[in-house]
Amino acid sequence: MIFFNKPYLTGKETQYIFDAVKSGKISGNGDFTQKCNMYFEDRYGFKKCLLTSSCTDALEMCALLLDIKPGDEVIVPSYTFVSTANAFILRGANIIFADSSEINPNIDENKIVELITSKTKAIVVVHYAGIACNMDKIMQIAEKHNLFVIEDAAQAIDSYYSGKPLGSIGHLSAFSFHETKNIISGEGGMLVVNDDRFIKRAEIIWEKGTNRAAFWRGEIDKYGWVDVGSSFLPSEIVAAFLYAQIEEMDKIQTKRQKIWIEYYKGLVALEQKGYFKLPFIPDFATNNGHMFYVVCKNEDERDNLIKYLKENGVYAVFHYQSLHKSPFYENRYKGKELKNCDFYSDCLLRLPFYFELEIDEINTICKLISKFYNAK
Ligand SMILES: *Cc1c(COP(=O)(O)O)cnc(C)c1O
C-alpha cells in the first residue's frame, strides 16, 4: 500500500511538548510561539508573524483586519480550498470568483481587472502547489485600483517569486501547518502582516480583542478589551510541535524536492507522448516540493486512473471542486463560466507525496501510470 499522505515526525516533537508542559505555560504566545514567529520573520523578512490555530484562522483574521463588511466584494480564485472564500463570506462579503490560468491552476492575472467594481476591496491569490502567482502583475492591478492583496500561501512555505519569499508580497498572507502541508503541527497556521498599518491591530484581534500582548511586553500597565477579536492563537503545545519541524525544515524541503524531481523524471516521457500534462513552473517561480500532480485529458480518464492505481495499492486523490459550483454556492453564483477552473477540477490528479516516500515507491507509481496508458 502506498498512502497519499503520511505526516513526518522529526522525533523532537514530543520532547518539546514535554518541555512546554514542564515550563508551566501551555496557553498561547509563550516561548515556543515566539520562537516560531521570530524564526519566520528572520528567515523570510516577514514584517510580523503570528502563529494561528489554522490557515483558516489566519484568513479570517485577514477579513477582520481589512474591515470587510456586507456588500464588499472580494476576488477569489474558484479553484481553491473552501477557507479562502469562507473567511470573507463570514463577514458578509460577496465573493467574485476568478478563473485559473491555462498554464497552471493559479489565478489568471489577465482576468482580474474585468472583475473589479467600485465595491471591490481585495484580491486573494492562492499559490497552488507552492508555485507563485504572477505577483508583479497582481500587485500593479491592486495598486491601480486601490485594493488589498492577500496571499493564501497555505501550500507555499519556503517558495519564492522572483527572489521574494511567497507570503512577503501581499499586504497580508496566510500559511498552513496542517498535517498535509510541508511543515506541520497537526492543525496550525500563521498570519503574516507585511503592511505596517495592520501590525498593532493584528496582535489585538489575535488576543481576543485585548492588548494583552503589549501588556506582556511591559508597554502598558493594564490590559483590557480594545477591539473585536477572537481566540486565534494556538497553545504552546502546538507551537512546540511546530518548532521541532522548523528545526528540520531544510532537510524536509530537500527531500521533498527530490521526490518531486523523481516523479518528473519518471513521467516526463509520457507527457511528451501527449497522455497528460505535468505541473508548469513559470520562470519567476520556485518549486517547494509541496505536491505532484498530473492533469489528465478528461474526467473519465482521471477517474479510471485513480481506480487503476487504487486496485494496485496506490492512493491518489483529486481535489477542489470548483467553489462556484459547490452545493453551498452554485445557486448564488451569477458570474461567467470558469473554464480552466472546471477543467482542473475534472482532470487534476494528485499523486502520493510525503517525506518518507521512497524512490522505488515513486518508480512503482510511475510504472503503473505508464502501464495504464500503454494498455489503452
Ligand atoms: C490547506 C489549505 C487551506 C486551509 O488550511 P488550514 O490550516 O487547514 O486551515 C487554505 N487554503 C489552501 C490553498 C490550502 O491548501
Side-chain angles (χ1 to χ4, degrees):
M1 283 309 186
I2 304 177
F3 292 106
F4 173 68
N5 181 54
K6 185 174 171 225
Y8 171 63
L9 301 180
T10 69
K12 284 261 190 79
E13 288 83 356
T14 43
Q15 170 70 50
Y16 288 168
I17 289 171
F18 181 79
D19 292 346
V21 172
K22 215 172 53 174
S23 80
K25 160 101 178 141
I26 52 175
S27 61
N29 202 10
D31 285 349
F32 279 109
T33 300
Q34 282 162 24
K35 271 158 64 170
C36 291
N37 289 341
M38 266 165 55
Y39 173 87
F40 289 114
E41 285 166 12
D42 289 347
R43 178 161 178 154
Y44 298 114
F46 298 148
K47 274 210 186 128
K48 178 84 182 169
C49 291
L50 294 170
L51 286 194
T52 54
S53 300
S54 62
C55 178
T56 302
D57 267 1
L59 289 164
E60 286 176 25
M61 287 182 73
C62 293
L64 285 167
L65 282 165
L66 298 186
D67 264 327
I68 299 295
K69 296 198 167 61
D72 288 347
E73 292 180 359
V74 178
I75 296 170
V76 175
S78 182
Y79 193 75
T80 182
F81 187 62
V82 293
S83 298
T84 320
N86 246 340
F88 301 90
I89 297 255
L90 277 170
R91 310 249 63 81
N94 291 329
I95 302 298
I96 308 300
F97 283 113
D99 203 2
S100 295
S101 107
E102 244 167 65
I103 57 165
N104 66 27
N106 283 343
I107 193 166
D108 185 342
E109 68 276 6
N110 298 312
K111 291 192 196 142
I112 294 176
V113 173
E114 65 196 59
L115 303 175
I116 295 172
T117 71
S118 58
K119 293 182 182 152
T120 311
K121 285 280 148 60
I123 304 167
V124 188
V125 301
V126 177
H127 305 297
Y128 183 78
I131 309 302
C133 297
N134 189 341
M135 291 310 290
D136 276 350
K137 187 84 191 277
I138 291 161
M139 295 310 288
Q140 274 162 21
I141 293 169
E143 203 168 317
K144 184 164 169 213
H145 296 270
N146 206 11
L147 307 175
F148 291 110
V149 173
I150 296 156
E151 294 179 72
D152 179 340
Q155 306 176 6
I157 194 77
D158 201 40
S159 204
Y160 292 78
Y161 166 83
S162 293
K164 290 183 204 156
L166 296 185
S168 71
I169 304 164
H171 300 84
L172 300 165
S173 304
F175 284 93
S176 176
F177 306 117
H178 183 263
E179 71 168 19
T180 51
K181 306 301 200 276
N182 292 29
I183 307 294
I184 62 174
S185 59
E187 301 281 351
M190 179 169 71
L191 173 77
V192 173
V193 182
N194 295 312
D195 185 323
D196 293 322
R197 287 174 292 177
F198 297 120
I199 290 179
K200 207 171 147 209
R201 189 159 181 245
E203 213 174 48
I204 289 166
I205 288 172
W206 188 59
E207 282 264 33
K208 301 140 184 122
T210 74
N211 48 8
R212 184 159 63 178
F215 173 74
W216 282 121
R217 284 195 299 267
E219 292 165 16
I220 45 175
D221 53 17
K222 62 174 196 286
Y223 82 86
W225 185 16
V226 293
D227 203 335
V228 296
S230 190
S231 187
F232 287 118
L233 68 180
S235 90
E236 278 288 287
I237 295 172
V238 170
F241 192 113
L242 184 65
Y243 196 69
Q245 295 267 316
I246 281 175
E247 283 187 328
E248 295 213 2
M249 179 148 145
D250 289 325
K251 183 174 132 192
I252 292 171
Q253 290 301 90
T254 303
K255 177 69 194 291
R256 293 186 72 108
Q257 278 155 356
K258 202 168 146 204
I259 291 170
W260 198 99
I261 289 166
E262 206 59 33
Y263 266 128
Y264 193 85
K265 285 197 304 205
L267 295 172
V268 69
L270 295 174
E271 182 190 40
Q272 281 157 1
K273 284 187 184 160
Y275 290 140
F276 47 69
K277 287 229 171 85
L278 295 181
F280 176 77
I281 304 175
D283 286 342
F284 56 63
T286 61
N287 175 14
N288 70 343
H290 174 60
M291 78 161 84
F292 200 90
Y293 62 84
V294 300
V295 185
C296 299
K297 286 204 167 126
N298 55 55
E299 191 173 8
D300 279 349
E301 197 163 292
R302 194 260 318 260
D303 294 349
N304 287 333
L305 179 52
I306 292 179
K307 202 164 139 250
Y308 178 76
L309 289 172
K310 195 168 172 199
E311 283 162 4
N312 288 281
V314 175
Y315 285 90
V317 303
F318 67 88
H319 75 162
Y320 297 160
Q321 177 185 23
S322 297
L323 290 184
H324 70 288
K325 289 191 171 169
S326 62
F328 177 69
Y329 211 86
E330 73 178 327
N331 292 330
R332 302 161 208 240
Y333 185 65
K334 296 187 204 79
K336 287 202 299 196
E337 192 191 353
L338 305 176
K339 216 167 55 159
N340 295 333
C341 169
D342 291 342
F343 174 69
Y344 292 117
S345 191
D346 290 343
C347 301
L348 189 140
L349 173 62
R350 298 177 65 183
L351 298 175
F353 208 114
Y354 50 89
F355 183 89
E356 285 164 293
L357 190 62
E358 302 289 345
I359 299 300
D360 28 312
E361 290 175 316
I362 301 170
N363 294 338
T364 302
I365 296 166
C366 293
K367 276 197 199 115
L368 279 172
I369 296 174
S370 179
K371 240 169 108 183
F372 173 83
Y373 280 100
N374 288 328
K376 273 195 342 136

